[in-house]
Amino acid sequence: QAAASQLPGLEVERVRFEGNEAFPDDSLASAIVTQETECRYWLFGPFCWAGTDFSLRRAQLRDRELPRDQARLIIWYQRRGFREVQVDTPSVVREPPTAHVVFRIHEGTPVIAGSISFIGAEEFGTDGLLNELPLVAGGRLTTIALDATSDTITQRLNNRGYARAAVLRR
């Protein structure tokens, strides 16, 4: 690993998210490429505080990834039911040899599933088939919950002997 002084660009000292209320910073950080320099392992704590190279995972600022990270955050939010989300162009404070990156998020109102109906399920006997599904009326309408609900029903039908079951969504 190159020392901070040998990195060709700026080291990302801090990545911050502003305006996110529905999701914690660590969840959003996992959705983007731009990361901040961090300690490799919690046992290295004293070495990290001292700034020793072997203990740190240094992160370099890659300007071309910032617009992509902006798009990644938008898609991440939209998949979780926030269809009107807006993410401002990331701001970067450059203080060589480090940089601080800020993503400003305007979440908007999430889409709520007002009701859910199943067409054709009654043919299969619904005892337990439609119980405790990931997508519920009154909950956030997410593509993740839709996919999980479809997969759950398909698996339950497979377990009942319907090997070619397919659950379609509208």
Side-chain angles (χ1 to χ4, degrees), residues 55-126:
S55 63
L56 295 170
R57 185 195 55 78
R58 297 196 186 271
Q60 181 182 349
L61 179 65
R62 293 184 286 186
D63 287 309
R64 73 170 192 257
E65 288 298 336
L66 293 174
R68 293 176 188 160
D69 281 341
Q70 180 184 11
R72 287 179 186 105
L73 286 170
I74 290 169
I75 293 166
W76 195 91
Y77 263 92
Q78 288 176 341
R79 291 199 70 217
R80 285 156 181 81
F82 289 82
R83 304 286 157 76
E84 298 173 353
V85 67
Q86 294 178 349
V87 178
D88 294 346
T89 301
S91 65
V92 180
V93 177
R94 299 167 195 272
E95 297 172 352
T98 63
H100 297 253
V101 180
V102 179
F103 292 92
R104 286 183 185 81
I105 301 165
H106 309 279
E107 293 178 335
T109 305
V111 177
I112 303 298
S115 67
I116 303 167
S117 61
F118 299 93
I119 300 168
E122 53 280 344
E123 295 176 31
F124 301 101
T126 57

Side-chain angles (χ1 to χ4, degrees), residues 3-77:
S5 60
Q6 296 172 337
L7 287 175
L10 299 175
E11 182 178 340
V12 180
E13 187 173 79
R14 182 89 172 106
V15 175
R16 235 179 50 230
F17 301 93
E18 294 179 354
N20 54 312
E21 295 177 13
F23 305 105
D25 289 359
D26 59 345
S27 294
L28 300 179
S30 68
I32 62 174
V33 171
T34 302
Q35 300 292 312
E36 58 189 46
T37 294
E38 63 185 11
C39 197
R40 289 185 185 275
Y41 187 58
W42 66 271
L43 285 175
F44 291 164
F47 298 105
C48 293
W49 296 318
T52 55
D53 281 334
F54 80 88
S55 63
L56 295 170
R57 185 195 55 78
R58 297 196 186 271
Q60 181 182 349
L61 179 65
R62 293 184 286 186
D63 287 309
R64 73 170 192 257
E65 288 298 336
L66 293 174
R68 293 176 188 160
D69 281 341
Q70 180 184 11
R72 287 179 186 105
L73 286 170
I74 290 169
I75 293 166
W76 195 91
Y77 263 92

